Each structure stands twice: as C-alpha cells, then as structure tokens.
C-alpha cells in the first residue's frame, strides 16, 4: 500500500496543482465565457501543439478518468469510443468494451487507442510529455492535452474547451451554469466566520497543503485546511505532533478506508474524540471535472449542516410565498431549477476526499 501511496502522490504532483482562489470566508464561483462551436477549429493545447479539427468529431477517446467524466457531464458520451473503464470510472457506468487502459484502470494502451480510430483524443495534463501522447500524434491522431490549471475556474475552462472540441457547446454551457449555481448556493449557506480546522488524511500521514486542488476544495467548503495552516506545500507528510498541536475539529478522509486512517496518537484530537468525520467519494475530489462541486457540497453540508438547513427552510418559505402569488408560472420555474442538464445525479450527500489509490486517476 505504501508503494501505491508514493505513486499516487507522484501523480498528484505531476497533475493539476490548484492555487486556492478563495479567501477565507468566501466561495469561488466559476465564471467562464460560453463555449463557441465552430468548425474548422484550431486550438493550442497545454503542450503548445495546435490541434486542428476540420469538422465536428463523431468519435473521441478519453485517455484519463477525468477526461471521461467531463465528456459524460456535458452529454457527449455517445461519441466515446474509448476510455479507462475500472474502479476509477465505475460511477460513470461505462460499457467495458470502451476500456483502453491497462489492468490498473488508468494507464492508456497506445494500440487500443489507435484501433478505435477516434477523430480526437483528450488527455489530462498528467500525460503531458508522456510517450503515449507522442506515439498517438505520430500516427496522425489529433491529441488535445489540457493545461495544468490552478483553480476551480481552471476546471470550468476545461469544461468549456471540451464542449468546443466535441461540438457540444450547449451541454458544456449547461454544466458551467450548474457549477456556478451550486457554488452560489454553497456561498449563501456557508458562514463567513465559522471556519473550523479540518485535517485531511490521505493515508500514512500524507495530507494536502497549499497549492493543491484539495486545499481549494476544503477552503471553498468552509473549513480551514490543517495542511495549509501548517505551511505545507503540495502533498506532504505531516507529523503527528503537528496534528495534535493543531487539534482539528474535523477529519476528512477517503470513504474507501472505511474509517479515518489516522495514527493512534491522532485519535486524541477533538475531531476523533467527537467522531467528527467526513468521508467523500475520492473520484469527485481528485478528478478535475464538473463533479468537484459535489465534493465541495458534501463537505459543506456535513460541517455546516445547521446553516444548510436554515438556508433550505428559507428557500422553502420563499417558494411558498411565490406559489401563493405566482401560480403555475412559479411551478415551471422550480422544475427548471431542479433539472441539472448534463448531470446524472442531483447535488446531495456524497462522500469526500481521498483514498490513496483513488488519487492516481487524473
């Protein structure tokens, strides 16, 4: 397991490192320009290469789980002819025949991709400089490698670009709108001042510090990140003494562990003694796609449950007053608001952060 953890940390460092774009007490909202679908299309990717598409693609291969998530969430999954199928994409319910990965469910097999003859190949920035990208390009395939982004806005930019590349601008725009709307709701419910300290345990003492994707998610969800507060940069181990001295009020961990994977001494913290734990689906926490908002939502709802209940009650009261005066017109509006185009599940209780093995699938 330790070997797997080291691999996971290495991949995280190579992938998207997210600089927190949220000041304490505030929540970032994604506000990207709407995608524009026009072909022929030329776009420079994260490696400086120009990807040229003469017409709207009819087939696409997603090399990494995060690429597949975005394709599904903008409603372009009917164009997928290849993607990793396994533990890290199980939530997408993809057909096993689409699998182009090795037994680990992450590493793409060049020959499998070539055999699918896709019009375009999408590659997360973890594969920038990887041999598989060069090999695919050498065969004449158009491979778009995403840039390393540093914020939730960066995630939104990837959604927009995916929409443009696949000619699915409407679906991409709807996903961007959903992200904005949900983050606005979280901002309204999360208090400005009550920000408890949370310890994010990845396993074997590793945690996320400043300049990481997980730090921004935690901060956006309304907690202070112990790793960042301790001055850690990137993904590092944190000593038991530092955790004990900080005495976090919450412990966040990957649900796959079953229980917080903390050292025995950490069991003396306020968080552990009061059983204040948050377990979140690591796919949503680690894959830079639209569903990161689900992870933020889950942490915020668990930690700031009272505020969310008050916010929901206020919304119900407002709806009731509107129903008294607005009649059927209000009902139609409510129906639209509850529909989340491009998403298979409503925003609700999901699970949060990081089992070690789940961090390798960018």
């Amino acid at each position: 397991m330790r070997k797997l953890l080291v691999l996971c940390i290495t991949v995280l460092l190579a992938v998207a490192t997210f600089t927190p774009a949220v000041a304490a007490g505030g929540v970032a909202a994604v506000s990207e320009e709407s995608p524009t679908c026009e072909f022929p299309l030329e776009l420079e990717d994260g490696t400086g290469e120009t990807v040229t598409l003469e017409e709207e693609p009819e087939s696409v291969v997603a090399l990494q789980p995060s690429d597949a998530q975005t394709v599904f969430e903008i409603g372009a999954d009917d164009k997928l002819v290849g993607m990793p199928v396994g533990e890290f994409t199980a939530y997408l319910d993809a057909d096993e025949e689409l699998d182009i990965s090795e037994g680990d469910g992450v590493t793409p097999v060049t020959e499998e991709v070539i055999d699918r003859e896709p019009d375009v190949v999408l590659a997360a920035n973890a594969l920038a400089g990887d041999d598989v990208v060069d090999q695919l390009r050498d065969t004449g395939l158009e491979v778009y490698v995403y840039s390393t982004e540093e914020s939730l806005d960066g995630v939104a930019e990837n959604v927009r670009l995916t929409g443009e590349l696949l000619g699915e601008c409407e679906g991409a725009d709807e996903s961007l709108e959903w992200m904005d709307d949900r983050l606005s709701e979280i901002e309204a419910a999360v208090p400005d001042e009550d920000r408890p300290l949370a310890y994010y345990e990845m396993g074997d003492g590793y945690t996320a510090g400043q300049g990481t994707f997980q730090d921004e998610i935690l901060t956006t969800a309304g907690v202070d990140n112990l790793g960042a507060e301790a001055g850690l940069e990137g993904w590092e181990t944190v000593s038991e003494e530092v955790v004990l001295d900080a005495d976090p009020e919450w412990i966040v961990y990957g649900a796959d562990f079953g229980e917080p994977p903390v050292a025995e001494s950490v069991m003396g913290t306020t968080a552990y003694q009061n059983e204040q734990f948050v377990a979140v689906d690591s796919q949503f926490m680690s894959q830079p796609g639209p569903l990161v908002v689900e992870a933020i939502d889950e942490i915020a709802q668990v930690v700031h449950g009272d505020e969310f209940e008050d916010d929901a009650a206020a919304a119900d009261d407002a709806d009731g007053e509107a129903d008294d005066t607005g009649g059927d017109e209000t009902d139609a509006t409510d129906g639209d608001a509850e529909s989340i185009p491009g998403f298979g599940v409503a925003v609700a209780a999901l699970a949060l952060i990081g089992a070690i093995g789940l961090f390798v699938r960018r």
Side-chain angles (χ1 to χ4, degrees):
M1 179 166 289
R2 184 176 296 274
K3 180 179 179 182
L4 178 58
L5 176 62
V6 172
L7 172 62
C8 296
I9 298 299
T10 301
V11 173
L12 276 171
L13 291 170
V15 186
T17 54
F18 281 65
T19 302
V22 186
V27 173
V30 291
S31 55
E32 298 296 324
E33 59 183 285
S34 295
T36 303
C37 290
E38 296 179 356
F39 296 90
L41 173 68
E42 286 190 0
L43 285 176
E44 183 177 308
D45 76 353
T47 66
E49 294 291 325
T50 298
V51 173
T52 302
L53 299 173
E54 294 298 330
E55 56 188 17
E56 180 179 329
E58 296 181 357
S59 59
V60 58
V61 165
L63 293 186
Q64 295 283 268
S66 61
D67 306 324
Q69 180 195 127
T70 302
V71 173
F72 267 81
E73 292 307 311
I74 67 172
D77 49 292
D78 59 333
K79 294 185 176 183
L80 275 169
V81 295
M83 60 172 278
V85 178
E87 176 186 3
F88 309 136
T89 56
Y91 67 99
L92 295 175
D93 250 350
D95 192 316
E96 290 187 6
E97 293 183 359
L98 292 175
D99 193 21
I100 48 86
S101 67
E102 294 182 2
D104 59 4
V106 176
T107 308
V109 178
T110 305
E111 293 75 14
E112 285 284 347
V113 178
I114 295 172
D115 287 346
R116 309 300 170 107
E117 299 182 345
D119 294 327
V120 64
V121 178
L122 304 178
N125 51 39
L127 293 177
D130 193 287
D131 288 343
V132 68
V133 172
D134 292 334
Q135 292 166 1
L136 294 175
R137 284 174 171 164
D138 287 344
T139 68
L141 289 176
E142 296 289 345
V143 182
Y144 186 91
V145 181
Y146 294 98
S147 299
T148 300
E149 302 296 349
E150 299 181 347
S151 67
L152 290 173
D153 281 344
V155 175
E157 175 66 3
N158 284 349
V159 174
R160 184 183 70 81
L161 288 169
T162 304
E164 291 190 350
L165 285 163
L166 302 186
E168 298 286 346
C169 286
E170 182 177 353
D173 203 35
E174 289 171 341
S175 290
L176 290 170
E177 183 178 355
W178 175 81
M179 293 174 71
D180 259 334
D181 289 347
R182 192 65 195 110
L183 286 171
S184 295
E185 292 172 8
I186 294 171
E187 181 177 18
V190 171
D192 291 339
E193 298 179 0
D194 179 18
R195 300 179 61 84
L197 186 66
Y199 172 43
Y200 167 41
E201 172 60 80
M202 296 168 61
D204 281 359
Y206 274 92
T207 193
Q210 299 174 16
T212 64
F213 181 97
Q214 289 75 19
D215 180 41
E216 181 173 358
I217 288 180
L218 291 166
T219 304
T220 305
V223 299
D224 289 332
N225 177 20
L226 185 149
E229 295 291 317
L232 300 182
E233 296 282 347
W235 293 267
E236 300 183 36
T237 55
V238 59
S239 71
E240 298 171 22
E241 291 77 13
V242 169
V243 177
L244 283 170
D245 288 344
D247 193 24
E249 297 176 61
W250 290 88
I251 293 175
V252 180
Y253 66 99
D256 279 19
F257 282 110
E259 60 184 25
V262 299
E264 185 174 353
S265 61
V266 176
M267 295 180 183
T269 60
T270 296
Y272 201 94
Q273 291 296 309
N274 293 338
E275 297 185 356
Q276 295 193 153
F277 308 140
V278 187
V280 175
D281 189 317
S282 296
Q283 316 306 333
F284 302 157
M285 190 68 186
S286 64
Q287 296 178 16
L291 295 182
V292 295
V293 177
E294 299 278 22
I296 296 170
D297 180 68
E298 172 63 6
I299 305 169
Q301 291 212 40
V302 173
V303 175
H304 298 288
D306 292 342
E307 288 79 4
F308 270 82
E309 289 178 8
D310 292 343
D311 188 60
D316 288 342
D317 290 342
D319 286 344
E321 292 176 4
D323 287 340
D324 289 339
T325 59
D328 294 339
E329 182 178 351
T330 301
D331 292 339
T333 303
D334 290 344
D336 291 340
E338 291 171 2
S339 175
I340 303 174
F343 288 77
V345 292
V347 180
L350 295 163
L352 159 52
I353 300 182
I356 29 186
L358 298 177
F359 273 97
V360 294
R361 57 260 188 212
R362 294 269 127 343

